[in-house]
Amino acid sequence: MTAVSRLSRQIWIAMKMMSRYANVLIAIAVFAALTTVFLAAPRVLGSTPPGSLDAHGHGSDAHDHAAEGDAHDHAAEGDAHDHAAEGDAHDHAAEGDGHDHAAEGDGHDHAAEGDGHDHAAPVPPAAAAVAPCTPAQPCPAERDMDALAAKTCEHKVKTVECAECRYEVGVVKIDGRLQRTLVSTNAVALREQALVLKLTGAVQLDATRAVDVVSLGAGRVIGVRAHLGDQVAEGDVLAVIRSSEFGEAKAEYIETKTRYELARRMLERERELYAKNVSSEAVYHDALKAFEASEGRRFAAEKKLHLFGMTAGEVAALTADTNSTGFADLPLLAPRAGLVIAYSIAAGKYVETDDSLYTIADVSRLWIWCDVYERDLARIHDSVERGVLPRAEARVRAFPDLVFHGVVDLVGKTMDEHTRTVKVRVQVDNELNRLKPGMFAEVTVHMPLGAPGVFVPRNAVMSDEGRQFVFQPWKDGLWVRRDVALGSEQDDAVEVTRGLCTRLPVASSGVFMLKSEVLKAKMGAGCAD
């Protein structure tokens, strides 16, 4: 029995005895201490004979570098022969001996596989800040591409020209016919940066452009001229109502006008007689008082007719000889131009002065009242208060292809305690009369944030291992992967803040094919020694 075996048996006996006479915690502590002694046994008792096995079943010859820490333990020393971790002679990940190609950017990262050819991640050009570029003044991203073109792979050729190595630096080559069929591009767009809010709301009439029409006198409807959906102008006759009140007011005016004329003539006569000392002063003053009284009654009767909508000319034309036909017929006039969107009137119906008979509105501009949550309120509120009305676009399900443009012009003064939202008003143009009050609308509000930004289509951006990238055409059918930093999103576009050459377009379709090619490294493809 070897010394190690004897020591193992003694440890087991000691543990068995201790479990009988000590509690569990003490047993665990002692076991840990004995285990430490056991692991140090080879050093204390000496090495086992050549070819024998230690307690772990491994040979304990003179090359056990993991435990002995002798002059061959290269895991700690950092040279090119770390046999403890991998067992081969090419682990360059931890060595730092000048062969770490991942750091050199030559496309041969030998980091983790142990076979000398770990192609785990392509090395695309580093992201550079987006800046306008011209042929005379290339942008940083374009200079990175120039540096990439100068790299040489282990096959002693330009990396981007090597069919086995180019994908490791983020470059793909696509056949011309395949490229024309499957890959399309979009230009990099410079557009205004804006915070985008998605809101919902209900379409309503512009209260300043809608009016309810009521009759100025009670009576019976004898004629209807305007109907639902009719476009009317201001002053058009909508209906005719035979009103006794209106007839009485006209009769009263005619009577007071007659009495006024009589009193005026009497006053002129008495003035002449008084001047000739034929009439007394008292009689003259009586005639003067009667004239003034008749003048007041005539003025009141005239104003009453104005309340029924008669003009001064129409009132002046009233005399005792006026034709009695239609004497009490009161026309119902349109107070403004617009569209008849509602009416409640019919021939023969008796109406009162508080009955709404028509609703006329100008629907070329409507309101959409939207709900804004408290967290989104500050930016809209500040913008409206400064007089910079945020731009808005509305869509409805009835016309999904139409966009109704408008602005946010009012923020509500109170918050709904139940929904924790504030109402905001969006004014939208409705020149085609497609929007209808009561419709449900989805509203996108754009609030400018500052200088314009660089935007690319959303489907042009790919991601892998937490990094976003796009592909840009280079030369001779080559496409280069550009790692990018993203900013805000607007509709179907996303802002790129770093890493893009603004002079080159980006691939917007066929992007997944390019991604598959450039990530061949993850499948172990590429050059091999």
Side-chain angles (χ1 to χ4, degrees):
M1 181 180 294
T2 64
V4 174
S5 300
R6 288 195 299 273
L7 181 59
S8 299
R9 181 174 178 80
Q10 291 173 1
I11 290 173
W12 173 250
I13 294 172
M15 284 297 302
K16 187 174 182 180
M17 295 177 64
M18 185 163 294
S19 65
R20 294 178 180 178
Y21 301 103
N23 58 44
V24 177
L25 294 177
I26 296 176
I28 294 174
V30 173
F31 176 75
L34 292 175
T35 301
T36 304
V37 174
F38 171 73
L39 293 175
R43 295 175 180 266
V44 175
L45 300 177
S47 301
T48 59
S52 63
L53 300 179
D54 62 12
H56 296 285
H58 301 294
S60 56
D61 61 5
H63 298 284
D64 185 2
H65 308 297
E68 294 176 7
D70 62 3
H72 300 287
D73 186 359
H74 307 294
E77 294 174 8
D79 66 5
H81 303 285
D82 184 1
H83 308 297
E86 304 206 356
D88 67 352
H90 301 285
D91 183 5
H92 306 294
E95 296 165 5
D97 61 353
H99 299 288
D100 185 359
H101 306 292
E104 294 175 7
D106 65 352
H108 301 287
D109 182 6
H110 308 287
E113 291 184 26
D115 63 351
H117 302 285
D118 180 10
H119 309 289
V123 185
V130 172
C133 59
T134 62
Q137 184 178 6
C139 64
E142 198 166 15
R143 289 195 294 270
D144 290 343
M145 295 166 68
D146 293 338
L148 182 64
K151 291 184 179 295
T152 303
C153 74
E154 62 181 23
H155 298 100
K156 308 305 180 182
V157 297
K158 297 295 185 183
T159 304
V160 297
E161 297 175 359
C162 180
E164 296 181 348
C165 302
R166 67 167 65 97
Y167 67 86
E168 297 178 1
V169 291
V171 176
V172 181
K173 186 167 185 177
I174 302 296
D175 177 73
R177 182 173 58 183
L178 189 64
Q179 176 175 312
R180 289 190 296 272
T181 305
L182 299 179
V183 182
S184 62
T185 61
N186 278 78
V188 176
L190 188 67
R191 67 166 67 174
E192 178 187 68
Q193 294 188 78
L195 175 66
V196 178
L197 290 181
K198 301 288 188 178
L199 308 177
T200 58
V203 180
Q204 297 184 16
L205 290 172
D206 183 339
T208 64
R209 296 187 170 205
V211 62
D212 285 332
V213 183
V214 298
S215 176
L216 298 177
R220 192 169 304 279
V221 179
I222 63 172
V224 178
R225 307 280 182 84
H227 299 84
L228 189 64
D230 288 352
Q231 187 72 35
V232 298
E234 183 178 355
D236 284 355
V237 178
L238 305 177
V240 178
I241 299 170
R242 183 155 294 168
S243 170
S244 58
E245 295 177 355
F246 181 54
E248 291 173 358
K250 291 172 72 174
E252 180 182 354
Y253 172 77
I254 293 174
E255 180 182 358
T256 57
K257 182 179 180 181
T258 302
R259 293 182 178 275
Y260 168 79
E261 292 295 331
L262 179 60
R264 184 180 61 79
R265 288 196 297 268
M266 288 295 295
L267 177 60
E268 291 177 355
R269 177 175 177 274
E270 291 300 328
R271 182 182 291 115
E272 293 177 358
L273 293 176
Y274 177 68
K276 296 178 181 180
N277 293 323
V278 174
S279 176
S280 65
E281 183 178 357
V283 174
Y284 168 71
H285 284 293
D286 289 342
L288 180 60
K289 291 178 181 180
F291 170 76
E292 291 175 348
S294 64
E295 185 180 33
R297 287 191 291 270
R298 183 192 65 85
F299 181 78
E302 182 179 352
K303 292 300 181 183
K304 191 174 182 179
L305 291 178
H306 289 325
L307 295 178
F308 281 101
M310 294 188 69
T311 64
E314 292 172 336
V315 172
L318 285 176
T319 64
D321 298 330
T322 299
N323 191 343
S324 60
T325 302
F327 185 78
D329 292 351
L330 176 64
L332 186 64
L333 305 180
R336 64 161 301 143
L339 188 70
V340 177
I341 62 172
Y343 81 137
S344 177
I345 190 172
K349 179 180 179 180
Y350 190 86
V351 297
E352 298 286 352
T353 56
D354 57 355
D355 292 338
S356 178
L357 306 179
Y358 286 89
T359 300
I360 299 175
D362 178 1
V363 295
S364 62
R365 188 177 69 186
L366 296 175
W367 290 346
I368 302 177
W369 285 98
C370 300
D371 296 316
V372 176
Y373 286 104
E374 191 172 358
R375 64 176 178 268
D376 300 324
L377 182 62
R379 289 187 180 274
I380 294 181
H381 182 275
D382 293 344
S383 183
V384 173
E385 288 296 318
R386 294 196 312 268
V388 181
L389 303 183
R391 180 170 56 89
E393 297 173 348
R395 291 176 172 84
V396 294
R397 291 185 179 179
F399 307 102
D401 297 331
L402 288 182
V403 177
F404 302 90
H405 299 279
V407 294
V408 178
D409 69 332
L410 181 66
V411 177
K413 305 304 180 184
T414 60
M415 174 173 287
D416 189 304
E417 297 179 357
H418 301 289
T419 62
R420 306 305 301 170
T421 59
V422 174
K423 293 287 186 182
V424 297
R425 188 178 70 190
V426 181
Q427 280 196 33
V428 293
D429 293 328
N430 186 36
E431 296 296 337
L432 299 177
N433 293 337
R434 300 292 180 87
L435 281 180
K436 313 297 181 185
M439 278 184 169
F440 180 82
E442 295 177 350
V443 179
T444 303
V445 178
H446 303 267
M447 289 174 290
L449 295 179
V454 174
F455 285 81
V456 299
R458 190 190 305 272
N459 57 3
V461 181
M462 294 282 104
S463 63
D464 179 63
E465 295 184 345
R467 292 189 296 180
Q468 285 74 40
F469 54 89
V470 299
F471 287 94
Q472 292 189 292
W474 193 2
K475 57 184 179 180
D476 301 328
L478 296 176
W479 294 77
V480 62
R481 162 179 165 163
R482 300 296 311 171
D483 278 8
V484 295
L486 303 182
S488 61
E489 296 183 3
Q490 294 185 25
D491 300 327
D492 58 348
V494 60
E495 180 191 9
V496 176
T497 59
R498 294 184 65 84
L500 195 63
C501 177
T502 58
R503 194 161 58 89
L504 298 176
V506 295
S508 56
S509 66
V511 189
F512 188 77
M513 177 183 65
L514 299 174
K515 175 183 176 181
S516 299
E517 286 292 320
V518 84
L519 294 182
K520 277 184 177 179
K522 289 194 172 182
M523 299 179 283
C527 61
D529 293 334

